[in-house]
Amino acid sequence: MDWLLTPGSGASAAALRAEVTAFLRRHAEQPDDVDDARLVVSELVGNAVHHAGGPVWVSLDWSQPRPLLTVHDLGPAFELGGLSLPETASERGRGLWLVSQLAKDLDVIAKRGPGKRVQVVLALTRRAEASFDPPRRQLNPLPAADEAGPGGFGKEAFLRALVVELARSTEAAQGPAVAEQLVAQVGATVGGQMEEEYRQARAVAGRLTPEQVADCYLRLKGAIEGDFYVISAGPDKIVLGNRHCPFGDTVRQAPALCRMTSSVFGGIAARNHDDAVVLLDERIAVGDPECRVTVLLGEAARTNPGGHHYRAAP
């Protein structure tokens, strides 16, 4: 789940805290245990709003038994140091010390450009159930009026709007789990066709090597005006960077669209290496200056518990 908080104000932070807390309460195994998590959310979001200014993105990854909460902002990073209970008269440092007592693995990670992400593992476990939790929307990610030319909106703006609104409408009607499945299926299907085009263009038969898989990624993303490049490609994993999202600035208002990249990359990798895991390590969608995507292959994917998992069809 991803939320965008803008503008950064006390009122909007309180509304976001209430929504994240409600999500946790709906899906926690013990709803009465959510109060500590609510304080953690409140402190981290409040700090981002107070010290960073600008947009704040909140991500919650509950693919593991305990949820990982990440708060992204564009403010300066800082060192945690040794957290201890501040002096009684001190007005600073209490929030992070409290977070460190109520949750685990508190960490501050500087982005490669301006900004940071603060992440922590919440002391909750999730019930085994489907999720139906449409996030609130404050911004419209559809094309702005100034994108139109003399004859109206162009094909690119229209198709982008179509994809975004289909995903949003599905999410509103049936929940983000269904929307995510839809986006993943679309990405896998389109990725399969793009792989076939790559094979014809390069005259490749049989399984693609990791280097060929990476080359296929660059070809298909370049065709839709992404700016991906290969950082490394080996037998166990492929690491890519990206300087420009095909969805443009829209993706900062709809971070869930990153799942499209995940499913395209994961589907191609799994078809050629049986199993794949895609890790979205950095995302333009949450304020990072570039994207960084790691694709684990074969045994490395099977033994990795996180990320988006993909398996070749029988």
Side-chain angles (χ1 to χ4, degrees):
M1 292 283 288
D2 289 295
W3 292 267
L4 169 64
L5 177 63
T6 185
S9 66
S12 60
L16 178 59
R17 179 189 63 206
E19 183 170 341
V20 175
T21 302
F23 173 86
L24 293 171
R25 199 178 301 282
R26 279 192 296 273
H27 301 292
E29 193 169 48
Q30 299 293 335
D32 292 340
D33 293 342
V34 172
D35 286 345
D36 286 351
R38 179 182 63 80
L39 288 175
V40 171
V41 173
S42 180
E43 288 293 340
L44 296 186
V45 173
N47 282 348
V49 169
H50 181 69
H51 297 291
V56 175
W57 296 269
V58 177
S59 297
L60 192 69
D61 178 1
W62 216 336
S63 58
Q64 298 302 300
R66 296 190 183 276
L68 175 67
L69 175 75
T70 306
V71 178
H72 302 258
D73 64 58
L74 301 182
F78 57 88
E79 296 289 337
L80 275 175
L83 292 174
S84 58
L85 180 62
E87 296 293 333
T88 305
S90 174
E91 296 182 0
R92 301 180 61 85
R94 291 181 174 277
L96 289 178
W97 177 83
L98 180 63
V99 168
S100 71
Q101 301 303 300
L102 298 179
K104 296 181 178 180
D105 302 331
L106 174 64
D107 199 8
V108 179
I109 303 166
K111 296 181 182 289
R112 288 186 292 141
K116 63 183 176 297
R117 65 180 189 267
V118 181
Q119 60 187 37
V120 68
V121 177
L122 301 176
L124 295 171
T125 54
R126 182 170 184 165
R127 297 195 305 270
E129 63 175 12
S131 171
F132 297 94
D133 298 274
R136 64 198 171 94
R137 300 191 184 95
Q138 292 182 315
L139 297 177
N140 183 4
L142 301 181
D146 59 8
E147 290 188 62
F153 287 116
K155 179 172 65 176
E156 178 183 345
F158 171 77
L159 293 177
R160 187 177 79 236
L162 189 65
V163 170
V164 171
E165 190 54 30
L166 277 172
R168 289 177 58 189
S169 297
T170 301
E171 186 178 83
Q174 301 184 55
V178 175
E180 187 171 275
Q181 291 171 5
L182 172 67
V183 171
Q185 181 60 63
V186 170
T189 302
V190 172
Q193 189 69 10
M194 290 179 166
E195 180 186 341
E196 288 304 312
E197 186 279 332
Y198 173 82
R199 289 177 176 277
Q200 293 180 17
R202 297 285 198 265
V204 176
R207 291 194 172 202
L208 300 181
T209 66
E211 293 76 15
Q212 289 171 325
V213 170
D215 186 41
C216 179
Y217 292 161
L218 297 191
R219 180 179 176 86
L220 69 88
K221 283 296 187 179
I224 58 174
E225 299 184 358
D227 191 12
F228 278 78
Y229 57 94
V230 177
I231 296 172
S232 64
D236 297 326
K237 68 178 179 180
I238 301 166
V239 182
L240 302 106
N242 175 42
R243 305 179 187 92
H244 178 261
C245 179
F247 287 104
D249 289 340
T250 298
V251 79
R252 291 177 181 259
Q253 302 172 20
L257 291 173
C258 296
R259 187 59 194 268
M260 186 72 74
T261 293
S262 173
S263 61
V264 169
F265 284 8
I268 293 172
R271 281 190 292 274
N272 291 278
H273 295 271
D274 298 327
D275 291 90
V277 165
V278 178
L279 304 170
L280 303 175
D281 301 316
E282 297 180 11
R283 297 190 287 162
I284 293 172
V286 293
D288 290 306
E290 295 187 2
C291 297
R292 180 158 295 186
V293 182
T294 299
V295 183
L296 302 178
L297 307 172
E299 184 62 24
R302 288 189 287 272
T303 56
N304 189 285
H308 299 141
H309 286 244
Y310 301 89
R311 179 169 295 175

